[in-house]
Amino acid sequence: EVQLVESGGGLVQPGGSLRLSCAASGFTFSSYWMHWVRQAPGKGLMWVSRISGDGSDTAYEESVKGRFTISRDNAKNTVYLQMNSLRAEDTGVYSCALPARGGKAWFDPWGQGTLVTVSS
Amino acid sequence: DVQLTQSPSSLSASVGDRVTFTCRASQSISSYLNWYQQKPGKAPTLLIYVASNLQSGVPARFSGSGSGTDFTLTISSLQPEDFATYYCQQIYFTPITFGQGTRLEIK
């Protein structure tokens, strides 16, 4: 069974940093791209970032470009999201998601998410 | 970026009703449109992928159609467990984008 478990969320002041982790199991981790998606409280879904299976190819949503860095450790079956220069509008639940295949693919499953709150 | 506009934003319906949601893309995305269901406090779950393909384990009362810029999700006979928020997602262009969601409520 595929499982995705996020951790690392918490309360951080504006301008601060956090590193989120997503531990994966139940599939050949290094063969799959991985994605991060954010959901602000009471709001919709926003794609944040993705990384290729070998970590060589990444992409970001414009509002986080230059502040967030996605990475992975295939030996630990874990994908990370390093978040710097955090802003109040970065508040939300961050979930990792597994695309069904390479290329243009739907997300299944999603992790339950970890809550990031940016506030003074 | 591709904007996805879902309508309606919310909908009240009764058990047994047939309901249809729409998702309109700001430019053609071929058939690369997916639908998800999200219940409060839970992660989204995949219903339909690539416009019309029913995800394994999803009841057959869910169906999807469309291509290009206009897509629909239909629930043929609402069940109590279907009351949730529904999101469309395009995966044709980067950045991947989502619609704002349609909240389905019990009448």
Side-chain angles (χ1 to χ4, degrees):
Chain A
E1 179 192 5
V2 172
Q3 284 198 318
L4 302 172
V5 180
E6 300 91 341
S7 60
L11 174 64
V12 60
Q13 292 188 337
S17 298
L18 274 179
R19 189 177 82 155
L20 307 182
S21 301
C22 168
S25 60
F27 63 101
T28 306
F29 183 70
S30 60
S31 297
Y32 287 84
W33 291 69
M34 292 294 295
H35 296 250
W36 285 98
V37 179
R38 177 171 81 200
Q39 187 166 34
K43 302 297 184 182
L45 303 166
M46 187 190 88
W47 175 81
V48 174
S49 183
R50 71 173 182 215
I51 187 167
S52 60
D54 65 1
S56 64
D57 191 351
T58 60
Y60 299 91
E61 198 275 336
E62 193 64 32
S63 68
V64 309
K65 210 174 284 186
R67 300 187 299 123
F68 290 12
T69 302
I70 191 170
S71 63
R72 64 193 297 157
D73 184 337
N74 286 345
K76 295 183 178 180
N77 284 4
T78 301
V79 61
Y80 304 98
L81 188 67
Q82 176 68 44
M83 304 187 297
N84 299 330
S85 302
L86 282 161
R87 307 166 180 168
E89 54 266 34
D90 296 320
T91 293
V93 173
Y94 286 74
S95 300
C96 57
L98 173 66
R101 61 182 190 191
K104 305 179 196 303
W106 45 97
F107 296 170
D108 182 57
W110 302 49
Q112 283 300 312
T114 186
L115 177 62
V116 172
T117 303
V118 185
S119 175
S120 54
Chain B
D1 298 359
V2 175
Q3 308 300 318
L4 296 179
T5 302
Q6 290 186 240
S7 59
S9 295
S10 64
L11 174 63
S12 295
S14 301
V15 172
D17 284 353
R18 177 185 180 92
V19 296
T20 297
F21 312 132
T22 65
C23 179
R24 176 162 290 175
S26 59
Q27 62 189 95
S28 177
I29 54 172
S30 185
S31 295
Y32 288 96
L33 191 286
N34 309 312
W35 291 95
Y36 298 87
Q37 178 192 70
Q38 187 179 34
K39 297 181 178 179
K42 300 294 186 181
T45 58
L46 178 69
L47 298 173
I48 301 286
Y49 61 95
V50 192
S52 59
N53 296 276
L54 188 67
Q55 171 68 350
S56 176
V58 174
R61 62 181 179 272
F62 291 90
S63 64
S65 65
S67 67
T69 60
D70 294 313
F71 301 86
T72 61
L73 172 69
T74 298
I75 309 174
S76 60
S77 179
L78 277 173
Q79 298 302 302
E81 61 267 30
D82 299 337
F83 293 93
T85 300
Y86 294 83
Y87 293 96
C88 57
Q89 174 205 38
Q90 70 82 21
I91 54 172
Y92 192 62
F93 292 104
T94 300
I96 291 168
T97 50
F98 294 87
Q100 83 280 11
T102 292
R103 184 176 178 181
L104 179 58
E105 300 174 323
I106 301 174
K107 183 182 287 184

